Amino acid sequence: LSGNYAFHLMAYRRELLLELGGLRPEFDGSQDYDLLLRAAETHPVVRHIPAVLYHWRQHETSVAHSDDAKSYAFEAGTRALNQALSRRGLAAEALEIDDLWRGMHVIRWRPVRAAEITVVQVQSGDTGSYRAAFENHDLETPYLAVLASTLTELAPDALTGLCAWLTVPGVGLASGKLLDSEGHIEYAGMVYQDGSPIIPYRGYPESEAGYLAMTRIVHNISAPHPYCVLIHRELWRRLNGLDCRYTGPYALLDFALRALDSGWRAVVDPQYRWRMPSSLPIAAGEDLSLFGRRWRKRLAEGDRYGNPNWRVTDSGVRLSE
């Protein structure tokens, strides 16, 4: 819903194309994106082959050479995306992001009501009391927000806007973007690598878009930030909340992986931003050991929302040599 990252080399079953009615000429220029959005609504099993199978040629009249070569293509893509939001009954509008390359979108949501969110504040820096913060809360509202006590919301609708992602069927967790006191990235999504969560582009200026704009657009993640996350009540109840064996924020990372294994998804949306005065600790002794023992096999397989060709560091994402 941020843009067509599947691009051109796609294989479809013929019966699915017939069911969908094929390409629609009114979306010429982005007919592949429109087809992909419609196909996704049939819930097909989609596989990705992580290998370089083709190259994209550049011609002076092609989009590969200049964004302005085919403006109609990007306009068609935005129309296709807004039609998809409407078909899916989502109270949102897709707009192109002005200061990124063409074809990248932000989703403007109708915020949920603040009264629908229970906020649990956890004390920054005291990892041992993380889980204890939940003990005196009865979750009667549709959504739960877990926020560090030192976070400052950078827009009045950050919490209610981010929470709107939980109205998408199957989305159970959502995190926003965290910036330090100098406006540098503290979190815009985490990736598991070699069994540990890594934050790409941490310390970079907020203007750094990163690989495929990963610090600027909404995307699926395996690791929401334990100090800035919204949780769907139904998911919380199905999983019986946090595992009581953890005391610190690894309880939330464990919860998120259990959610993924239960068929729920987590997202990060960088348009919703918070300021944090200092880095917030995540690792905590025995919690880290417990997490490693429980998820070692799963994490050894790699992050399902990563790419085996990536090598991720705080400095960003690059292709493995």
Side-chain angles (χ1 to χ4, degrees):
L1 300 182
S2 290
N4 180 10
Y5 60 80
F7 298 122
H8 298 104
L9 190 57
M10 297 281 292
Y12 286 85
R13 286 188 180 274
R14 182 174 181 271
E15 62 192 73
L16 176 58
L17 291 180
L18 291 174
E19 175 187 337
L20 296 171
L23 300 176
R24 300 198 290 181
E26 61 266 37
F27 294 98
D28 279 355
S30 283
Q31 63 271 55
D32 55 341
Y33 190 27
D34 173 60
L35 179 65
L36 184 62
L37 289 165
R38 288 185 288 128
E41 292 160 16
T42 69
H43 306 291
V45 175
V46 183
R47 294 289 183 238
H48 170 237
I49 302 173
V52 178
L53 300 181
Y54 79 114
H55 289 279
W56 195 0
R57 63 95 177 92
Q58 286 192 343
H59 184 275
E60 62 182 9
T61 62
S62 76
V63 173
H65 185 74
S66 171
D67 280 351
D68 296 326
K70 297 179 180 178
S71 289
Y72 70 89
F74 298 109
E75 294 164 3
T78 302
R79 284 191 287 109
L81 181 50
N82 276 301
Q83 277 200 17
L85 294 172
S86 178
R87 282 195 307 271
R88 300 176 193 191
L90 300 177
E93 179 186 13
L95 302 169
E96 270 200 278
I97 301 176
D98 291 336
D99 58 344
L100 275 179
W101 50 90
R102 299 291 304 273
M104 309 304 290
H105 296 89
V106 63
I107 306 298
R108 300 293 190 202
W109 288 96
R110 180 189 303 159
V112 303
R113 295 184 301 112
E116 296 182 276
I117 306 172
T118 296
V119 178
V120 172
Q121 281 200 334
V122 291
Q123 296 302 311
S124 305
D126 186 3
T127 59
S129 66
Y130 184 92
R131 187 178 58 81
F134 298 84
E135 292 179 353
N136 296 320
H137 288 275
D138 294 323
L139 187 55
E140 299 298 333
T141 59
Y143 311 109
L144 168 68
V146 183
L147 299 173
S149 57
T150 54
L151 293 187
T152 302
E153 203 171 3
L154 293 181
D157 67 340
L159 187 62
T160 54
L162 179 63
C163 191
W165 277 107
L166 302 186
T167 67
V168 178
V171 176
L173 302 103
S175 278
K177 190 176 194 176
L178 302 182
L179 304 174
D180 66 18
S181 57
E182 297 180 356
H184 294 157
I185 296 170
E186 272 289 334
Y187 174 89
M190 285 194 288
V191 176
Y192 284 109
Q193 182 172 270
D194 301 328
S196 299
I198 305 293
I199 302 176
Y201 302 102
R202 186 177 188 180
Y204 274 61
E206 189 188 3
S207 58
E208 173 59 56
Y211 178 80
L212 284 180
M214 66 188 307
T215 74
R216 296 288 308 278
I217 63 172
V218 66
H219 55 279
N220 292 110
I221 51 173
S222 297
H225 200 289
Y227 289 100
C228 181
V229 60
L230 281 136
I231 305 170
H232 199 292
R233 178 178 63 180
E234 182 63 23
L235 172 61
W236 183 261
R237 290 181 171 175
R238 286 192 184 188
L239 298 186
N240 295 316
L242 302 182
D243 187 327
C244 64
R245 292 176 295 174
Y246 295 92
T247 60
Y250 261 90
L252 194 285
L253 297 181
D254 172 84
F255 180 87
L257 289 179
R258 287 190 287 131
L260 294 182
D261 280 356
S262 299
W264 293 73
R265 289 172 289 138
V267 301
V268 57
D269 190 339
Q271 72 171 307
Y272 300 112
R273 300 149 59 241
W274 279 260
R275 183 87 67 197
M276 54 188 299
S278 59
S279 295
L280 300 173
I282 295 177
E286 182 57 31
D287 278 7
L288 181 58
S289 299
L290 174 60
F291 184 82
R293 291 193 302 271
R294 181 170 193 171
W295 297 105
R296 183 177 293 110
K297 181 178 179 181
R298 162 71 176 278
L299 296 179
E301 299 171 354
D303 192 312
R304 70 172 62 178
Y305 296 117
N307 187 311
N309 299 307
W310 285 357
R311 192 64 192 169
V312 183
T313 67
D314 287 354
S315 299
V317 174
R318 63 179 174 82
L319 294 179
S320 300
E321 296 178 357

